[in-house]
């Protein structure tokens, strides 16, 4: 580094250096838990360096990854269209399969129309920034996903955060918002780090009272909540036909074993978004094989109703056994179950020891979560057996006791 470098340049290089040192240090001690290159993966297992592990970190909530009907649909589309489209959706990248996928999403979510994008990230960031501008107000739950936060920042709207799932805080934010401009409230349906569920009835009531639009991110509730797995409205017994959620966002990369994101809503809104979401207009289209896989996955959810039932049974059993063992799982009511460790080194050590016992889990450290809430973020799927769940919880409890996380 030359002497003439300013202090901000030094700080810039120091940041890079510090992170690199932390990574090297963790790798040296066998504690680096990220970016494993796996040889095989499904909703229950993962093979890493020849070792097949039972995994409790998959988003394949209904265990649809590798489903024969979904694979067959992807293969057929691959043979028909090849591996990509060489185009953005807006220009040359829309195939018959994309249109069919959007119709399927709209019918599953009971909306007039839907738009499919190449990522959920783009669906959130692109939609919020397309809808709002400098004179508008966006009010977002404090622990919403990063793609929502980035959309809020990109929009240049007045950006307010309310305390996590705290309805008094939301009401205060709405009441204090400038009177002029469009107000948009946005929240995850199931919060991706904590696994708790948004208080939708109250959020809807407040949005109506203060004439705010509502956008809900169903990345982790699609296929998960409600008896049929249709999501957050079904969970609360709200009729989608009432149109109480203006903008319904979801991903095609979690329960749906593909890639992509969608926005479902009324015809005029979706038509507007088709002509204004930047990731839709300026970024390449979702590959036809991925679109075909996604469309077929919605059909499988409707046909194989046992999957949602089994997921709900597994969720209850997993939470119950973790609580009996003495773990703090915050207020999780979903397949995402945080096991609070509160200490980064212990969380990394727990991850390593669990792998030695044949169980694959991932730790989540600050800044992704609040300091002192370092956790192992576990997920359970419809593919796990009750015996596998029990085995995993026994392993977690044994390790947690050995590390002083739980009392012996
Ligand atoms: C709540 C939430 N919204 C949006 C996204 C982004 O979705 P994708 O990974 O499909 O881009 C994620 C991804 O993890 C998420 O958890």
């Amino acid at each position: 580094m030359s002497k003439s470098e300013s202090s901000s340049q030094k700080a810039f290089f120091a940041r890079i250096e510090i992170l690199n040192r932390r990574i090297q240090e963790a790798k040296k001690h066998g504690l680096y838990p990220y970016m494993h290159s796996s040889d095989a993966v499904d909703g229950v297992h993962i093979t890493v360096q020849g070792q097949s592990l039972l995994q409790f970190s998959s988003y394949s909530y209904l265990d649809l990854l590798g489903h024969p009907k979904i694979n067959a649909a992807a293969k057929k589309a691959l043979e028909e269209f090849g591996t990509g489209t060489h185009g953005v959706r807006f220009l040359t990248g829309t195939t018959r399969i994309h249109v069919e996928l959007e119709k399927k999403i709209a019918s599953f979510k009971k909306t007039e129309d839907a738009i499919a994008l190449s990522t959920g990230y783009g669906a959130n960031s692109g939609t919020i920034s397309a809808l709002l501008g400098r004179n508008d107000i966006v009010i977002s739950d404090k622990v919403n996903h990063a793609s929502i936060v980035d959309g809020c920042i990109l929009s240049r709207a007045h950006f307010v955060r309310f305390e996590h799932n705290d309805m008094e805080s939301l009401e205060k934010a709405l009441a204090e918002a400038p009177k002029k401009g469009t107000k948009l409230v946005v929240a995850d349906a199931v919060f991706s780090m904590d696994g708790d569920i948004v208080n939708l009835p109250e959020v809807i009531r407040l949005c109506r009272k203060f004439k705010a639009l509502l956008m809900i991110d169903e990345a982790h509730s699609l296929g998960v909540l409600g008896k049929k797995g249709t999501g957050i409205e079904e969970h609360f017994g709200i009729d989608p036909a009432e149109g109480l959620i203006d903008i319904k966002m979801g991903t095609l990369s979690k329960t749906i074993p593909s890639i992509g994101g969608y926005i479902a809503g009324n015809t005029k809104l979706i038509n507007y978004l088709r002509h204004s979401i930047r990731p839709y207009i300026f970024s390449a289209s979702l590959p036809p094989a991925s679109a075909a896989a996604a469309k077929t996955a919605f059909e499988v959810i409707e046909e194989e109703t046992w999957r949602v039932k089994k997921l709900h049974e597994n969720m209850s059993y997993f939470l119950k056994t973790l609580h009996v063992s003495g773990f703090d799982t915050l207020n999780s009511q979903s397949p995402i179950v945080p096991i609070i460790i509160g200490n980064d080194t212990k969380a990394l050590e727990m991850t390593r020891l669990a792998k030695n016992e044949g169980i694959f889990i991932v730790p989540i450290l600050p800044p992704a979560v609040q300091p002192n809430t370092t956790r192992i973020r576990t997920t359970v799927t419809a593919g796990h057996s009750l015996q596998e769940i029990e085995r995993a919880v026994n392993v977690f409890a044994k390790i947690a006791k050995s590390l002083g996380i739980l009392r012996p």
Side-chain angles (χ1 to χ4, degrees), residues 32-48:
Y32 186 74
Y34 305 118
M35 288 176 270
H36 293 280
S37 146
S38 61
D39 298 312
V41 66
D42 62 27
V44 182
H45 305 98
I46 183 164
T47 305
V48 181

Side-chain angles (χ1 to χ4, degrees), residues 59 119-121 124 145 147 188 192 217 219-220 249 251 253-254 260:
Y59 290 144
T119 65
Y121 181 91
N124 268 336
H145 190 259
S147 53
D188 290 355
S192 59
D217 174 337
H220 300 279
M249 180 272 173
T251 61
S253 59
K254 295 180 172 57

Side-chain angles (χ1 to χ4, degrees), residues 170-219:
L170 172 59
E171 181 152 22
K172 187 164 175 284
L174 281 162
E176 287 173 359
K179 294 285 166 281
K180 274 197 200 149
T182 299
K183 288 192 270 293
L184 174 72
V185 171
V186 54
D188 290 355
V190 167
F191 292 92
S192 59
M193 291 294 158
D194 293 5
D196 52 342
I197 298 173
V198 69
N199 182 353
L200 185 65
E202 194 54 15
V203 172
I204 288 175
R205 188 186 71 76
L206 291 172
C207 284
R208 300 194 105 193
K209 179 173 167 189
F210 290 95
K211 298 193 172 33
L213 293 171
L214 176 59
M215 173 167 174
I216 296 287
D217 174 337
E218 293 224 67

Side-chain angles (χ1 to χ4, degrees), residues 92-149:
T92 56
T94 295
T95 67
R96 185 187 75 238
I97 300 183
H98 293 94
V99 177
E100 287 169 7
L101 168 64
E102 288 171 341
K103 283 201 177 121
K104 187 71 219 170
I105 294 169
S107 92
F108 194 85
K109 291 306 299 172
K110 300 213 168 15
T111 56
E112 290 173 4
D113 204 352
I115 175 174
L117 295 103
S118 314
T119 65
Y121 181 91
N124 268 336
S125 57
T127 299
I128 299 170
S129 54
L131 288 175
L132 302 181
R134 279 184 200 286
N135 299 321
D136 301 318
I137 305 108
V138 58
I139 303 175
S140 168
D141 188 290
K142 227 175 184 172
V143 307
N144 275 345
H145 190 259
S147 53
I148 295 177
V149 176

Side-chain angles (χ1 to χ4, degrees), residues 23 183 200 324 332 355:
I23 294 168
K183 288 192 270 293
L200 185 65
V324 168
S332 168
K355 191 161 171 258

